[in-house]
Amino acid sequence: MTVPVTKNDEVVVDIVGLTHEGEGVGRADGFTLFIQGALPGERVRAKVLKVKKTYGYAKMLELVVASPDRVDAPCGIFKYCGGCQLQHLSYKGQLEWKRQHVVDNLERIGKLRVAGANGASGDGESAGDGRNEGQGIVVHPTIGMDEPWRYRNKASVPIGTAVDAPSVGFPSGKERLIGGFYAHGSHRIIDMEACLIQHSDNDDIIGMVKSIARELGVSAYNEETGRGLLRHVMVRVGFVTGEAMVVLITNGQKVPQVERWIERIREAFPSVKSIVQNVNTRKTNVIFGDETRVLWGSEVIYDGLDGIRFAISARSFYQVNPVQTVELYRKAVEYAGLTGSETVIDAYCGIGTISLFLARRAGRVYGVEIVPEAIEDAGRNAALNGIDNASFEAGAAEVVIPRWRKEGIVPDVIVVDPPRKGCDEALLETILAMKPERVVYVSCNPSTLARDLRVLTDGGYRTVEVQPVDMFPHTVHVECVVRIYREGH
Ligand code: SAH
């Protein structure tokens, strides 16, 4: 095929879709161009930046026809910041796109049949008793938030320097400590005072930590030279308790004037219950190092989800949107179909959050997770809530669960909640061999979900319904809960 465009051409492009990274997919003379900031249904004038064999990239110059779903992004740094990708799309439009994105993945990658696909709206459909014989998979409308802002409980901010314009005494410009987010696809830090998807306490505490660092003359880490002390600041706040934790990630042991720092933070924010230092002296873009110590206060903060209390330490994985997490976990429990007597396995259990939701309705729950500290937290969290029918083991799900099988554990339900890369093949094989009546798949990545559902389908399971839940408004991320039955059940 001859490529109809060349670099620097100006073209008028119709936008027909959005990529999983939120770029508009355009067609110019049948040739695909990816254009950041353009929305489906729009026509834009764009300049071609880069041309490959079968696709290219272009930059939007002018909006010729706007989508009715286009809105002004409320955040002033939306254009530069890599944190959000969809603020220019109405919230309703985002929820619809997320559902469609799930449908597309199920069909294209999983080769699965979706009910009401090919133009039908798909909304309001229900699987009724969940059996849904031969109808194809029901993909429900995405569960959105009533107030899709300020939803995050955790902020993790890289620290660096900016150079001010040259001035008297500083002919090459004065260095200033900044902290914020990386610009789109780069490691350039954009200083940030407010992030509209963060709990406002996180914004305030980070602002304060940065200004104390400037005052005390703390140096910012430089990724290229590996010099400078402060690398990252992480803040987490419990939405139910209001308790906050501050973690300073440092390139070295010693924090100058640490007592003053602690005093200032405590004075300004009495809700801070824990100040922690994590030392990371390696030249890497992994945020945390191996050494974590409490500088002041408690090792954990507490939060609650649907009446269950959780202790959360600096290194624990804990879902970042607590309001939607409750929606997600309730759906997972509903899809598990528990009556009080079942044996349930919770694979990839983290600090045991889903396990404890399940334990309230099941006979016995076994959780497995690869991070040993998370498993310690899970045990503590069960005790904290007086839950005694859940037990936890540290290890890889694909290693531990086959062993449980040999030991004679027979689950009625297996719940999986893997990271983005999806389930290990050996785990899927073990699920097929253990033959639980029901599987509940909680997924943060529709493409690996679709791949794994194909394996389960070929092994005698049927995907009944999928509930997308919007855990990350204004970003391209989609979370799903899936109800899966063994054929004949
Ligand atoms: N269900 C939990 C955690 C989900 S995140 C919650 O909702 O909070 C996925 C988890 O899988 C992480 O905690 C990660 O540490 C863990 N993990 C990654 N690979 C794993 C493996 N091979 N076996 C078990 N757990 C794993």
Side-chain angles (χ1 to χ4, degrees):
M1 164 186 167
T2 52
V3 174
V5 298
T6 39
K7 192 174 164 178
N8 293 329
D9 278 1
E10 279 189 28
V11 283
V12 173
V13 190
D14 287 318
I15 308 300
V16 295
L18 269 187
T19 67
H20 68 283
E21 285 171 359
E23 293 166 312
V25 183
R27 296 262 191 269
D29 287 339
F31 186 72
T32 300
L33 286 172
F34 297 115
I35 305 177
Q36 197 173 346
L39 292 172
E42 293 189 328
R43 174 170 291 177
V44 304
R45 198 162 59 79
K47 182 172 175 171
V48 178
L49 298 175
K50 203 192 258 181
V51 180
K52 305 242 181 172
K53 259 192 205 136
T54 54
Y55 63 90
Y57 294 90
K59 183 179 151 91
M60 190 155 109
L61 298 174
E62 187 197 347
L63 195 54
V64 180
V65 179
S67 159
D69 287 329
R70 176 173 282 277
V71 293
D72 285 333
C75 175
I77 56 172
F78 170 64
K79 267 199 177 146
Y80 321 102
C81 174
C84 292
Q85 301 81 30
L86 298 177
Q87 282 195 20
H88 57 316
L89 177 58
S90 71
Y91 191 51
K92 183 171 157 283
Q94 292 180 25
L95 296 176
E96 284 166 3
W97 175 75
K98 289 185 183 192
R99 175 184 179 276
Q100 192 55 47
H101 183 55
V102 173
V103 170
D104 291 347
N105 275 278
L106 294 176
E107 291 183 334
R108 286 181 201 157
I109 297 174
K111 306 273 178 265
L112 294 156
R113 206 154 63 79
V114 174
N118 303 322
S121 75
D123 52 20
E125 281 174 272
S126 160
D129 67 351
R131 300 290 144 142
N132 179 36
E133 303 292 347
Q135 304 291 307
I137 301 165
V138 175
V139 180
H140 295 286
T142 312
I143 298 177
M145 298 187 79
D146 294 337
E147 182 48 64
W149 299 100
R150 301 259 174 226
Y151 60 82
R152 282 186 67 101
N153 60 14
K154 186 179 104 170
S156 183
V157 168
I159 301 293
T161 46
V163 181
D164 287 338
S167 59
V168 181
F170 298 99
S172 56
K174 188 181 171 195
E175 281 202 349
R176 193 161 46 87
L177 182 140
I178 59 168
F181 273 100
Y182 294 121
H184 282 295
S186 89
H187 265 212
R188 189 166 59 85
I189 296 169
I190 294 170
D191 199 28
M192 185 193 66
E193 271 163 23
C195 172
L196 300 182
I197 62 172
Q198 283 294 344
H199 191 289
S200 57
D201 284 3
N202 288 347
D203 274 353
D204 296 345
I205 294 171
I206 284 174
M208 166 62 96
V209 169
K210 283 195 290 187
S211 67
I212 301 172
R214 284 180 201 128
E215 253 173 68
L216 300 183
V218 171
S219 58
Y221 180 70
N222 180 322
E223 258 186 1
E224 261 133 54
T225 62
R227 309 248 291 269
L229 183 68
L230 192 57
R231 295 176 74 125
H232 263 86
V233 177
M234 191 193 105
V235 180
R236 184 140 57 184
V237 58
F239 271 48
V240 170
T241 59
E243 295 182 4
M245 173 186 280
V246 179
V247 186
L248 305 174
I249 295 119
T250 57
N251 174 37
Q253 300 284 340
K254 196 167 154 17
V255 180
Q257 304 189 65
V258 70
E259 295 304 328
R260 270 199 66 199
W261 201 330
I262 291 169
E263 203 183 287
R264 292 281 311 276
I265 295 175
R266 287 181 56 197
E267 245 172 50
F269 300 100
S271 62
V272 172
K273 301 294 176 206
S274 164
I275 304 177
V276 173
Q277 179 187 6
N278 173 271
V279 180
N280 184 1
T281 54
R282 282 186 298 236
K283 245 186 138 177
T284 161
N285 53 23
V286 174
I287 296 177
F288 280 101
D290 294 334
E291 203 182 327
T292 306
R293 73 167 79 101
V294 176
L295 294 174
W296 175 84
S298 164
E299 193 190 333
V300 295
I301 55 165
Y302 292 93
D303 195 23
L305 291 174
D306 207 24
I308 303 182
R309 263 166 81 76
F310 293 98
I312 306 149
S313 58
R315 303 295 309 276
S316 302
F317 175 89
Y318 182 62
Q319 298 282 356
V320 299
N321 181 336
V323 172
Q324 294 297 84
T325 297
V326 171
E327 299 289 333
L328 185 81
Y329 290 178
R330 280 186 187 155
K331 254 311 155 197
V333 173
E334 180 194 326
Y335 286 179
L338 303 174
T339 61
S341 60
E342 290 81 3
T343 298
V344 186
I345 289 178
D346 181 18
Y348 310 88
C349 70
I351 61 168
T353 41
I354 296 179
S355 318
L356 299 188
F357 269 64
L358 294 162
R360 295 195 285 196
R361 306 277 175 78
R364 168 115 229 125
V365 177
Y366 296 90
V368 55
E369 154 67 44
I370 205 157
V371 175
E373 292 83 357
I375 286 295
E376 278 171 37
D377 288 347
R380 247 184 275 164
N381 287 329
L384 187 66
N385 292 282
I387 292 176
D388 58 10
N389 60 338
S391 52
F392 299 95
E393 189 169 326
E398 61 274 18
V399 174
V400 172
I401 298 176
R403 205 190 66 239
W404 285 349
R405 176 167 178 247
K406 282 196 199 122
E407 289 167 8
I409 293 174
V410 182
D412 301 292
V413 184
I414 297 182
V415 178
V416 298
D417 182 9
R420 292 189 63 76
K421 67 174 192 235
C423 289
D424 191 280
E425 242 181 272
L427 175 65
L428 295 171
E429 275 166 30
T430 306
I431 292 175
L432 296 179
M434 280 176 129
K435 296 192 167 50
E437 263 181 38
R438 293 181 290 286
V439 176
V440 179
Y441 196 132
V442 181
S443 161
C444 57
N445 183 349
S447 66
T448 55
L449 169 68
R451 179 199 67 197
D452 292 350
L453 289 178
R454 170 43 55 199
V455 176
L456 293 176
T457 303
D458 292 343
Y461 280 80
R462 183 161 43 86
T463 301
V464 180
E465 54 189 314
V466 178
Q467 177 61 68
V469 178
D470 192 23
M471 298 280 274
F472 308 98
H474 314 296
T475 78
V476 288
H477 297 289
V478 198
E479 195 91 12
C480 291
V481 194
V482 186
R483 187 202 293 262
I484 304 155
Y485 283 159
R486 184 147 64 87
E487 288 292 0
H489 283 268

